[in-house]
Amino acid sequence: MKSIHGKDIKIFACNSNKKLAEDIAAAMGLPLGRCTVGAFADGEVSISIEESVRGSDVFVVQSTCGPVNNNLMELLIMIDALKRASAGRITAVVPYYGYARQDRKAKARDPISAKLVADLISVAGADRVLSMDLHVAQIQGFFNIPVDHLMGTPILAPYFVEKFKNLPREEIAVVSPDLGSVTRARKFAERLDCPLAIIDKRRPRANVSEVMNIIGDVHGKTVVLVDDMVDTAGTLCHGAEALIKLGGAREVYACATHGVLSGPAIQRLTDSVITETVFLDTIPAKEGSDAARIKMLSVAPVFAEAISRIYEDKPVSPLFT
């Protein structure tokens, strides 16, 4: 596959989300690039590129999900190997960008790890980054290279439009689980053509949340909680419970782009009042997350289209609509 600039395109995968990489390549009618990503006896990452990449437009697919540090090192060393093999252009395709929540100094002497990771990817030799639903949009500004930032809403919203096609719009509401997610939830509500509500809460400490108030009317409605990621699922489950008990919601669904699902998350979702939780496969499905109440949607078609557009020097912005 060659474009007007004469370079061929190659897609390589590290170990964090190989199935997604295979699905992206298949959607583009390409094989995955031949490489071996393993480890030496002492745990150091070992990368071997097994085909020529000289002058090629190369895309490396790797989510920096758990084990975060190992997956991050795989990405960095893969980029370095490709750069030293004279790849023409290297794009880091990072469906889930780890360390994104450490984007500012929340208290004195905190690191800004999201900026550090951005620097590492740039210094390793990446020419651009393709990611989806960064925790905060300003992380794009942490990079000194171009960043194409895809959104999960164009995949998630149509799923719920179809699911609720027989429900009157006035019986549906989209809910933001906190004030920080209002912009994302508003865009989601616009796609469903329904009202927006907000859960106002305070967070005493990390991964612990306390619901304070529900802003907006959810009484008797089917509601969709919309977030960018679900980690331990405490916030989501507490919010759903409040929507039922305090707000009088009839039924609660939830969706998020990234299913981090740490610790007790899957059990919490299974035991919660949430009818169904929908994630995208930016992070591989965890064991037990294939339950009837947890659904995964594929991002491969969107990433395949984005990669094709980047390769052909076409705008990526049409994918946002």
Side-chain angles (χ1 to χ4, degrees), residues 229-273:
M229 71 170 68
V230 174
D231 189 356
T232 60
T235 297
L236 203 68
C237 294
H238 292 154
E241 189 173 345
L243 288 168
I244 296 283
K245 292 182 177 179
L246 301 180
R250 181 176 62 200
E251 192 175 24
V252 179
Y253 290 80
C255 66
T257 302
H258 311 296
V260 180
L261 303 181
S262 304
I266 292 174
Q267 190 60 48
R268 282 177 175 173
L269 289 174
T270 303
D271 296 341
S272 74
V273 297

Side-chain angles (χ1 to χ4, degrees), residues 168-189:
R169 297 297 97 180
E170 62 271 15
E171 293 184 15
I172 305 170
V174 168
V175 180
S176 172
D178 52 43
L179 296 174
S181 298
V182 170
T183 301
R184 179 181 297 104
R186 183 181 292 117
K187 291 178 180 177
F188 204 95

Side-chain angles (χ1 to χ4, degrees), residues 5 13 33 76 88 92 99 112 136 158 187 191 211 219 225 237 261 265 270 284 305 313 318:
H5 48 62
L76 298 175
Y99 284 108
I112 305 181
V136 286
K187 291 178 180 177
R191 286 178 176 265
V211 174
H219 185 77
L225 269 166
C237 294
L261 303 181
T270 303
E305 178 65 19
D313 296 323

Side-chain angles (χ1 to χ4, degrees), residues 199-202 210-214 242 246:
I199 296 175
D200 178 30
K201 66 176 182 1
R202 64 182 175 87
E210 181 179 333
V211 174
M212 301 296 288
N213 193 25
I214 296 170
L246 301 180

Side-chain angles (χ1 to χ4, degrees), residues 2-303:
K2 287 180 178 290
S3 73
I4 54 174
H5 48 62
K7 296 177 181 177
D8 58 343
I9 178 172
K10 298 196 175 185
I11 299 174
F12 286 87
C14 299
N15 289 327
S16 75
N17 203 341
K18 199 156 187 179
K19 184 183 184 306
L20 175 58
E22 290 169 348
D23 291 345
I24 291 171
M28 298 179 67
L30 295 170
L32 275 183
R34 298 193 309 276
C35 66
T36 300
V37 182
F40 293 108
D42 62 354
E44 291 179 0
V45 173
S46 167
I47 301 277
S48 176
I49 310 295
E50 295 166 356
E51 62 182 83
S52 174
V53 295
R54 186 175 296 272
S56 299
D57 206 344
V58 179
F59 295 81
V60 183
V61 181
Q62 175 82 332
S63 286
T64 50
C65 50
V68 181
N69 298 331
N70 196 69
N71 287 333
L72 176 60
M73 284 306 298
E74 285 185 2
L75 174 63
L76 298 175
I77 294 172
M78 174 70 86
I79 292 170
D80 182 74
L82 292 166
K83 179 181 68 173
R84 295 177 187 279
S86 302
R89 181 173 65 172
I90 303 169
T91 300
V93 181
V94 189
Y96 169 71
Y97 183 82
Y99 284 108
R101 284 171 286 181
Q102 298 182 41
D103 63 299
R104 68 194 185 284
K105 292 185 70 171
K107 63 180 188 300
R109 295 174 295 281
D110 273 1
I112 305 181
S113 306
K115 166 62 174 166
L116 173 61
V117 171
D119 289 341
L120 289 170
I121 291 172
S122 300
V123 170
D127 296 294
R128 71 186 307 121
V129 171
L130 174 61
S131 191
M132 177 173 275
D133 267 339
L134 296 168
H135 188 58
V136 286
Q138 58 263 32
I139 288 175
Q140 295 174 83
F142 293 175
F143 289 88
N144 295 320
I145 56 178
V147 177
D148 289 302
H149 184 207
L150 302 178
M151 302 296 171
T153 297
I155 305 173
L156 290 165
Y159 174 83
F160 286 99
V161 169
E162 176 64 23
K163 179 176 279 291
F164 301 148
K165 63 183 178 183
N166 295 323
L167 279 179
R169 297 297 97 180
E170 62 271 15
E171 293 184 15
I172 305 170
V174 168
V175 180
S176 172
D178 52 43
L179 296 174
S181 298
V182 170
T183 301
R184 179 181 297 104
R186 183 181 292 117
K187 291 178 180 177
F188 204 95
E190 288 171 359
R191 286 178 176 265
L192 268 64
D193 189 27
C194 67
L196 173 69
I198 303 166
I199 296 175
D200 178 30
K201 66 176 182 1
R202 64 182 175 87
R203 188 187 294 271
R205 60 185 185 277
N207 297 127
V208 177
S209 63
E210 181 179 333
V211 174
M212 301 296 288
N213 193 25
I214 296 170
I215 304 168
D217 179 24
V218 297
H219 185 77
K221 295 185 179 183
T222 297
V223 301
V224 184
L225 269 166
V226 180
D227 211 345
D228 66 319
M229 71 170 68
V230 174
D231 189 356
T232 60
T235 297
L236 203 68
C237 294
H238 292 154
E241 189 173 345
L243 288 168
I244 296 283
K245 292 182 177 179
L246 301 180
R250 181 176 62 200
E251 192 175 24
V252 179
Y253 290 80
C255 66
T257 302
H258 311 296
V260 180
L261 303 181
S262 304
I266 292 174
Q267 190 60 48
R268 282 177 175 173
L269 289 174
T270 303
D271 296 341
S272 74
V273 297
I274 301 172
T275 302
E276 182 181 64
T277 309
V278 183
F279 298 110
L280 303 182
D281 62 351
T282 56
I283 297 174
K286 298 289 178 70
E287 185 178 346
S289 63
D290 60 344
R293 295 172 64 186
I294 301 176
K295 184 175 181 62
M296 304 288 286
L297 303 179
S298 178
V299 296
V302 173
F303 273 94

